[in-house]
Amino acid sequence: MSAHIIASKNLIFPESPRWHAGKLWLTDIFGRRLVTVTLEGELDVVWEFEDRPSGLGFLPDGTPLVGLVDSNRVVRVSGGVLVTHSDVGAATDARLNDMVVDADGTAYVGCALDRTGRDPSADLGDVILRVEPSGESTVVRRGGIIRPNGLALTPTGTLSVAEFSGARVSRWRRSPSGQFDALDSIIEMPGALPDGLCVDADGGTWVANLKAGRFLYFNATGRPSRSVTPSGRWAVACTLGGADRRTLFLTSLNPPEPGDDNTVDFAQCEGFVEALPVESAGVGLP
């Protein structure tokens, strides 16, 4: 399977692609921007941040919600004004990453604890936060997930979590109380670094395996059956969109080159957005 590039100019690290209002929206983490991309590849900047943006979703009225990594906040971007929607740091000392926003405006945010000097695959009690449309935030899952990254929510309330340091995708059922306390199933991805993901109407899951540079498709039973390789680039995130939700949008970037001191400057990367027609339509969010 091969995809075609629809955007590559002026992107650095494209993350959290979301199809909304006839356009592809995404955050550019190290470009510190919220942007939209048309199917023809026209890129528009919606907002420029001082902070690094990550997760993205929308309130019922179309207002974008963006998770800001450095200040640990979820913000609203509306009418030329940036407003704090929720101070995630008030609910947990874990650092926010990706986010999915339900149709009613409820956001679910994956937050990971600092692993500096620790085993990156250890279960340190990372959390999933629920952020109400009012901005109030509560913990709905603690532990059992290892560095939550991409999130996807089905209409039945199942939350899929890409566990970046756990090398798997775990699926959790939402209880009547709103907690994700029942493990539904696990897709094991040995040696992988799962990043963004999305689900389709057949119960399948598309997952980005970051440094391996592959987007993998797992069917409803959790078996891998397809893959897309974006020509030597890192695979970042994906979503199903377009008018019938049968276009798979893939974001990727050229791998960063380590400096003399072996540090990496992600701001020097070049990001890409690709599109690929698929048979099974997207379902739920993102």
Side-chain angles (χ1 to χ4, degrees):
M1 302 176 69
S2 60
H4 67 277
I5 295 172
I6 62 172
S8 61
K9 294 182 179 180
N10 303 316
L11 287 173
I12 297 175
F13 199 120
E15 179 65 277
S16 299
R18 309 287 188 253
W19 182 260
H20 174 73
K23 294 181 180 180
L24 185 70
W25 295 62
L26 52 88
T27 57
D28 190 349
I29 299 178
F30 290 91
R32 299 175 184 258
R33 302 175 301 170
L34 172 64
V35 304
T36 62
V37 179
T38 67
L39 290 173
E40 295 72 34
E42 180 180 348
L43 187 147
D44 287 318
V45 177
V46 178
W47 195 268
E48 294 184 353
F49 302 94
E50 295 182 1
D51 204 334
R52 290 178 295 163
S54 183
L56 172 64
F58 301 89
L59 293 173
D61 65 0
T63 298
L65 290 182
V66 181
L68 298 182
V69 175
D70 299 317
S71 59
N72 231 24
R73 294 180 297 149
V74 176
V75 296
R76 300 192 303 271
V77 180
S78 179
V81 178
L82 190 71
V83 179
T84 296
H85 182 70
S86 179
D87 182 0
V88 172
T92 177
D93 57 352
R95 182 66 60 186
L96 70 77
N97 189 357
D98 213 337
M99 173 176 69
V100 63
V101 182
D102 209 343
D104 66 359
T106 302
Y108 296 93
V109 187
C111 303
L113 293 163
D114 184 8
R115 283 174 164 74
T116 303
R118 300 181 180 182
D119 179 358
S121 63
D123 186 350
L124 302 181
D126 293 337
V127 303
I128 303 293
L129 287 180
R130 180 179 65 227
V131 179
E132 307 290 350
S134 65
E136 180 182 359
S137 58
T138 55
V139 174
V140 291
R141 178 75 221 167
R142 185 184 298 277
I145 50 176
I146 302 172
R147 199 176 169 190
N149 205 324
L151 304 171
L153 190 66
T154 69
T156 59
T158 298
L159 183 71
S160 293
V161 182
E163 298 187 32
F164 190 74
S165 297
R168 65 184 188 178
V169 173
S170 55
R171 294 167 173 161
W172 301 84
R173 293 193 301 275
R174 184 170 54 196
S175 67
S177 66
Q179 300 289 312
F180 290 96
D181 49 13
L183 182 62
D184 182 77
S185 60
I186 290 176
I187 299 173
E188 298 287 358
M189 300 176 63
L193 294 173
D195 202 323
L197 81 171
C198 59
V199 297
D200 66 22
D202 291 330
T205 305
W206 284 99
V207 188
N209 183 359
L210 183 69
K211 292 186 180 180
R214 299 177 68 197
F215 293 90
L216 302 171
Y217 180 77
F218 296 87
N219 64 22
T221 65
R223 295 179 63 87
S225 60
R226 284 174 275 176
S227 67
V228 180
T229 303
S231 189
R233 297 188 294 273
W234 283 6
V236 179
C238 52
T239 195
L240 287 157
D244 58 2
R245 295 199 67 182
R246 284 184 166 86
T247 299
L248 179 66
F249 293 100
L250 312 167
T251 68
S252 59
L253 72 155
N254 286 329
E257 294 292 337
D260 293 338
D261 57 356
N262 210 34
T263 59
V264 172
D265 183 4
F266 284 102
Q268 301 302 315
C269 293
E270 179 183 11
F272 296 80
V273 178
E274 297 177 82
L276 174 72
V278 293
E279 292 182 1
S280 186
V283 70
L285 294 156

